[in-house]
Amino acid sequence: MTHVQRAALGTPDLVPPAAGRADGAGQRMWAVVLAACAGQFLVVLDISVVNTALPSIRADLGLSAAGLQWVVNAYSIVLAGFMLLGGRAGDLYGRKRMFLLGLGVFTVASLAGGLAQEGWQLLTARAGQGLGAAVLAPSTLTLLTSAVPEGPARARAIATWTAVGAGGGAAGGLVGGVLTEALSWRWTLLVNVPIGAAAVVLGAWWLVESRAGSGAGWTCRARCSSRRASRRSPTASCRPSGTAGPLPRPCCP
């Protein structure tokens, strides 16, 4: 039963409409934080997750010592080389689009690496992982800061993102060793597939597209919402943070 129907029948609302909207916005905000943290965790984890699996990879695929070094370096070099390009692509084409594209490439490359039957296939997959991570990584933090308004909530979200990234780096060797010992070296790459697929679904459902220059709206929207709630000045003009000069138009409807 809708709010209008309840009013017509004289039935009180159990939950005020504004409270329901606030709950939905809070759920969306923390779903964005979860997706961004999952992406960051995968990017940092795969820098070191294969290190403890190198002896098993050598025995299975017959790679030389130089080839094993490239299993590690192919990911890191491509990630570092294309990260600036990935960040710029997010500014131009949208952070959500680049997040999903990078995560999709990373997940498919992880699957290809886990199923590799030749050394060159594994090296190509690791380079593909690095390319996907270079597109993915810059978008995680920008999506998070765009979704969470300034204040304690954003501080908590950034702290969570930072801790998850640090945890991924610290856990890489441990996770790789456990997976290699319990299952196979292939699972050091295949473990990314279910996590990446879940993050793609979550991101496609909850993320909102943003581009460079669109993040300043949070200050304006938050201030306008506050003024409407307090009934002080529902048509007041407000200025996005970091700007100066005359206000071109009222932003509070």
Side-chain angles (χ1 to χ4, degrees), residues 91-192:
D91 292 339
L92 294 176
Y93 302 111
R95 280 74 178 259
K96 175 183 177 180
R97 182 178 299 173
M98 290 299 104
F99 177 89
L100 296 177
L101 176 63
L103 191 54
V105 171
F106 181 90
T107 303
V108 171
S110 298
L111 179 62
L115 300 178
Q117 301 299 316
E118 299 289 342
W120 67 267
Q121 295 174 351
L122 178 59
L123 295 180
T124 302
R126 287 289 285 170
Q129 280 187 307
L131 181 61
V135 176
L136 166 65
S139 298
T140 58
L141 184 58
T142 51
L143 282 171
L144 186 148
T145 54
S146 297
V148 183
E150 295 180 5
R154 179 179 290 184
R156 289 194 298 270
I158 293 177
T160 302
W161 179 87
T162 304
V164 167
L174 176 62
V175 171
V178 170
L179 291 174
T180 302
E181 188 69 22
L183 298 171
S184 166
W185 68 265
R186 298 181 183 277
W187 280 97
T188 61
L189 301 174
L190 293 177
V191 69
N192 298 322

